[in-house]
Amino acid sequence: MANTNKLPEVWLRGPLPDFLPALQPVAHALLQAQEEMNQLLETFPSSQLWQGPGNIASVGFHLQHMRGVLDRLFTYAAAKGLSSQQLEYLAAEEKAPSADTSTDDLLQLFNQQVGHSLTLLKNMEATSLFEHRNVGRANLPSTVFGLVVHAAEHTMRHLGQLLVTVQWLKQLPA
């Protein structure tokens, strides 16, 4: 991924083509998270993916959780329930998928999910943004707009937590 240190944050680069004006902040946040995540983890050792120093969530968990949350929230936004595969993924987010899973593997999967989420976001129509949607097994009330805004907000929240975890792990003896 290109070095983005010299670029302003995504939201300061202007409107993104093909996104509704109301959805620009969501797209900007997802792209910003993707850029920062890829830059932060470019050289992150896979051997530390599942370390949670001080009983905090591991980098691997955050990567898998952000991917899963995007998938689930955009599924609800499409007025669909979660599949058995999505429920299995949710139950396994805290675990390494396999012993040889690398940082690059998880980043690639996260990047694919962001790309898929952005495609879905581009295809949303203004008339559907405030349609009611049910969330979770309890069928809690939300809207399409509420779900996609939360997807962006939740992704950025976990990126912040991940930034702290990576800095903490860098301080530990090798």
Side-chain angles (χ1 to χ4, degrees):
M1 177 156 256
N3 186 343
T4 56
N5 281 336
K6 297 189 186 331
L7 294 174
E9 290 186 4
V10 175
W11 69 277
L12 291 170
R13 298 179 202 163
L16 297 165
D18 304 322
F19 289 92
L20 293 170
L23 298 178
Q24 291 284 322
V26 175
H28 285 143
L30 293 177
L31 288 168
Q32 186 70 42
Q34 184 178 37
E35 280 187 13
E36 289 186 37
M37 185 84 62
N38 281 275
Q39 188 173 356
L40 176 70
L41 299 178
E42 187 173 21
T43 60
F44 187 79
S46 298
S47 62
Q48 291 184 315
L49 265 178
W50 303 101
Q51 290 182 14
N55 229 10
I56 62 174
S58 69
V59 170
F61 165 76
H62 285 295
L63 281 167
Q64 291 193 146
H65 181 66
M66 288 186 285
R67 175 182 170 222
V69 166
L70 288 173
D71 182 38
R72 291 187 293 275
L73 292 175
F74 276 86
T75 296
Y76 292 135
K80 297 177 184 172
L82 299 184
S83 68
S84 58
Q85 184 179 21
Q86 287 171 306
L87 292 171
E88 288 172 19
Y89 184 88
L90 173 61
E93 283 179 358
E94 292 186 33
K95 301 173 190 138
S98 70
D100 61 343
T101 298
S102 71
T103 301
D104 288 341
D105 294 336
L106 293 181
L107 268 175
Q108 182 180 12
L109 292 169
F110 172 74
N111 287 331
Q112 288 171 356
Q113 187 63 53
V114 169
H116 180 65
S117 299
L118 290 169
T119 298
L120 295 172
L121 204 61
K122 277 183 187 180
N123 292 322
M124 289 185 177
E125 297 187 24
T127 56
S128 72
L129 293 182
F130 295 99
E131 290 178 1
H132 174 83
R133 293 293 186 261
N134 292 322
V135 179
R137 293 178 186 153
N139 290 317
L140 299 172
S142 190
T143 62
V144 172
F145 190 65
L147 285 158
V148 299
V149 167
H150 182 65
E153 176 273 328
H154 195 88
T155 300
M156 291 304 286
R157 180 186 326 161
H158 278 276
L159 172 63
Q161 292 173 356
L162 190 139
L163 289 164
V164 172
T165 303
V166 168
Q167 290 306 315
W168 192 341
L169 288 169
K170 284 182 180 180
Q171 304 306 316
L172 296 177

